[in-house]
Amino acid sequence: MTVSHILGYPRIGAQRELKKATEAYWKGACTRSELESIGRELRLRHWQAQQDAGLDFVSVGDFAFYDQVLNVSLALGAVPGRFNAAAEVVGGEIDLDTAFRMARGRAPSGEPAAACEMTKYFDTNYHYLVPELHDGQTFTLASNRLFDEVDEVLRAGFTPKVTLTGPLTWLWLGKTKGGDFDRLTLLDSALDVYGEILARLATQGIEWVQLDEPALVQDLPLAWQQAYERAYHRLQSAPLKLLLATYFGGLGDNLSLATRLPVAGLHIDAVRAPQQVESVIDRLGPHQVLSVGVVDGRNIWRADLAALRERLLPLKVRLGQRLWLAPSCSLLHVPVDLAQESDLDDELISWLAFARQKLDEVVTLARLIDNRATPVDEQRLDQATRALDARRESTRIHQAVVSERLAAVSPADSQRQASYPFRAEAQRRALKLPLFPTTTIGSFPQTDEIRAARRAFKAGELGTADYQARMQAEIAYAVERQQALDIDVPVHGEAERNDMVEYFGEQLEGFAFTRFGWVQSYGSRCVKPPVIFGDVSRPTPMTVRWSEYAQTLTDKPMKGMLTGPVTILQWSFVRDDQPRETTCRQIALALRDEVLDLEKAGIKIIQIDEPALREGLPLRQHEWQEYLDWAVESFQLSAAGVANATQIHTHMCYSEFNDIIGAIAALDADVITIETSRSDMHLLDAFQDFAYPNEIGPGVYDIHTPNIPEVSWMVDLMEKALEKIPAERLWINPDCGLKTRNWAEVEPALANMVEAAKVLRQRY
Ligand code: GLN
Ligand code: ZN
């Protein structure tokens, strides 16, 4: 029998119950024991779903009130001193509030302290809490949560497999604090605790533990590869079976390493790296289990069961009982249940599978290749085939005009007419901006009134004309404030936008929106990515009306505001029936039309935001260039159609720019605004070292805090920038958009910013 299992299930709940309960707890609206009982209910419900689907194991250890990487840090007692001091250790165990303080700096009990850093988990949109590692640190088992959950699952009568982030990946995700040192020096102590955990789980009767080691799909230094051997040789003495789980890509040069490790089983990603399956089998030990991840854990498309069956049958012949089936990775990265999507049409629904549906897909596949398919399985197979055939042929997906237009794109389309120095001249004449021009990144405060108006409009309670009038009033207010502040390049403020991707997706062909398709982003925060299912095109202008109106209110050049093609792609579920780059280029062409329409409407400065450019980088460095080539080309395609005198801006935040500075320069935006204030302008070094040729607006204040920046502080920051970039090429702006702030914070902050520009103009 082929074992079917999953690597993890979404924990937020189909109705985001966990989000609501956790936030209620933080606000004091529910007690800790109420929160714990919601957690128990959700775990039970999710185990039940897995058992009902017919999986051979239910997954334990994938639950977390905040983050599964944080859970391991807690289990190892890796709590930074600033929290420990305040920690209320209950029965030798780190309590939940300490975990919340580590995650967000505060909790209902205990003293606030600076939260741990948070960053993206591999190439996903999920953020984990970065383990803080100190030289000479030792670990001790400091949490019983996992064991309690095991008791819970056993009491409820399920057959569990435990999942836990592996020791090397945990260290790999960690950062050294208080001086640099080799993180691997901490491995032995971590392994002591992992050994203890595994022994405890064995006494509880656990047979299989899945250790997640996605670090194995990245470029690992030799010392880390060797550490894998050392670590897993030590862990093999554990009195239970280990399943080493790798995902998000192929093992590549770690393939023979991974297959050499003394573990009972190996899980590999056969969605992102289908070609590795045969080579892994060739090297597998005679008794080792191979779990093949065939159902996409990173996307929402229905699996092609017939095709997968064909692919799997020969593997079944080779591996027999040693073949296991699973989704490619934890289902944490997809929405919970498609059954709730009452607003999507039946055809679209028939193309999709969320976490709950993916359980069925795995189970059915296992039964199909075992020749023990039930009538339900046959029906699912049949439905999948029909849906996929229909999807391939659907007229909703393929638009001849879009593919013809894409095929006709020439290299000239992604090049501006003249090079930057000529354009800069033309723009100087057209725009007549002072030295150190001031601007903002686009959004102004999204007030409760704005959100309420949008909700009423969407609910049909506010008519189109009324809604437009309301938004125009907001725009007029924002423009008037900017006039009063004497900002050189005003913006309309983005009042009409709910979200910088959704706003465009809603107006483009080829996009669909779910009602409950939430995916955890971090802690209690969830995102609802749009679904790009078909060829992308732009039926009508999307932003022109607002920008045009805003321009009528001022003599200064109004900056138009768009989200770039790479960011729209990166923050959506993308169709899997054509290369991502093709979809990206389609979006780029749609945006190109918007850019040209803005220009035609008299908008002389257009910003195309690309905050997600860097996060799209593949996990393996040798794949970077190919990605950057099409990402850059897509941006250029959207931007390059304008006249020399039209100024193109772009904006990027939360980025280390070193790795991609060449690509940033290749975008050839006339002006780039970046987030730099918290780095004390050090992020500009990459631009200086590269001799970046165009204009830069290094953010002079952090918009994430309500603090009002002082004039002298911003002047000092700009003086630092001036050591790296000549005055003629510097702009002055905040780090990012202001939508999360309120006007009482924004006005004095911007007044000081404009004052800082004036001080600098005196000096230069
Ligand atoms: N224009 C957007 C804003 O100002 C940019 C947001 C972002 O970079 N994430 O809100
Ligand atoms: Zn930003």
Side-chain angles (χ1 to χ4, degrees), residues 382-609:
D382 190 51
Q383 279 170 350
T385 305
R386 268 188 291 135
L388 276 142
D389 284 346
R391 185 178 158 209
R392 269 185 286 270
E393 248 115 73
S394 170
T395 48
R396 291 170 69 184
I397 290 190
H398 304 285
Q399 290 184 47
V401 278
V402 176
S403 41
E404 281 157 19
R405 186 170 174 205
L406 204 58
V409 165
S410 77
D413 294 334
S414 46
Q415 293 303 316
R416 294 287 296 269
Q417 289 164 18
S419 64
Y420 168 74
F422 290 98
R423 302 194 311 259
E425 224 4 81
Q427 290 162 21
R428 244 187 296 282
R429 280 195 303 271
L431 300 171
K432 302 190 178 61
L433 295 170
L435 195 63
F436 305 115
T438 51
T439 190
T440 61
I441 306 305
S443 57
F444 273 106
Q446 280 272 333
T447 58
D448 290 342
E449 297 78 54
I450 295 178
R451 288 177 208 278
R454 189 162 40 244
R455 262 198 309 276
F457 174 55
K458 288 207 166 172
E461 293 153 15
L462 189 67
T464 308
D466 288 340
Y467 177 69
Q468 284 183 5
R470 284 277 297 117
M471 292 302 121
Q472 287 197 342
E474 292 295 340
I475 290 170
Y477 182 74
V479 175
E480 181 197 305
R481 294 293 88 207
Q482 292 171 88
Q483 293 274 74
L485 287 161
D486 202 14
I487 288 190
D488 303 305
V489 175
V491 295
H492 77 287
E494 302 181 24
E496 78 289 3
R497 301 185 192 177
N498 35 359
D499 171 276
M500 64 186 289
V501 170
E502 193 168 75
Y503 178 77
F504 291 93
E506 280 175 343
Q507 301 184 74
L508 290 166
E509 289 289 325
F511 280 74
F513 292 85
T514 62
R515 267 192 80 185
F516 302 106
W518 298 101
V519 179
Q520 189 175 11
S521 172
Y522 62 89
S524 70
R525 277 289 263 277
C526 302
V527 293
K528 194 154 65 65
V531 176
I532 308 180
F533 66 88
D535 286 348
V536 177
S537 61
R538 186 200 69 144
T540 50
M542 304 182 283
T543 65
V544 175
R545 181 182 343 118
W546 307 116
S547 291
E548 204 171 23
Y549 170 69
Q551 183 65 85
T552 63
L553 306 171
T554 174
D555 294 332
K556 300 204 163 140
M558 175 60 52
K559 181 162 68 167
M561 198 58 57
L562 305 173
T563 302
V566 183
T567 299
I568 291 181
L569 184 86
Q570 204 56 37
W571 293 350
S572 302
F573 283 119
V574 181
R575 57 193 284 197
D576 61 351
D577 58 347
Q578 66 181 19
R580 283 171 74 82
E581 59 180 283
T582 306
T583 305
C584 197
R585 286 199 178 92
Q586 291 181 354
I587 303 170
L589 288 178
L591 290 169
R592 180 185 183 92
D593 295 341
E594 185 73 14
V595 167
L596 293 175
D597 280 345
L598 281 169
E599 186 183 49
K600 230 179 283 162
I603 302 299
K604 296 190 174 69
I605 303 183
I606 301 164
Q607 177 171 312
I608 307 171
D609 290 327

Side-chain angles (χ1 to χ4, degrees), residues 435-436 680-681 684-685 688 696 698 700 714-732 756-757 759-764:
L435 195 63
F436 305 115
D680 205 26
M681 295 286 155
L684 271 184
D685 293 348
Q688 181 189 20
I696 311 180
V700 290
M714 290 186 276
V715 169
D716 289 350
L717 269 182
M718 285 303 289
E719 290 287 4
K720 287 185 184 145
L722 279 154
E723 290 165 17
K724 307 169 204 252
I725 311 285
E728 314 76 66
R729 290 202 269 114
L730 279 173
W731 286 61
I732 299 193
V759 169
L760 286 160
R761 283 173 203 151
Q762 297 292 317
R763 294 190 192 168
Y764 290 87

Side-chain angles (χ1 to χ4, degrees), residues 441 500 609 611 651-654 673-675 703-704 735-737:
I441 306 305
M500 64 186 289
D609 290 327
H651 165 72
M652 283 173 206
C653 33
Y654 16 81
T673 54
I674 56 175
E675 175 170 330
I703 55 89
H704 299 96
D735 267 345
C736 193

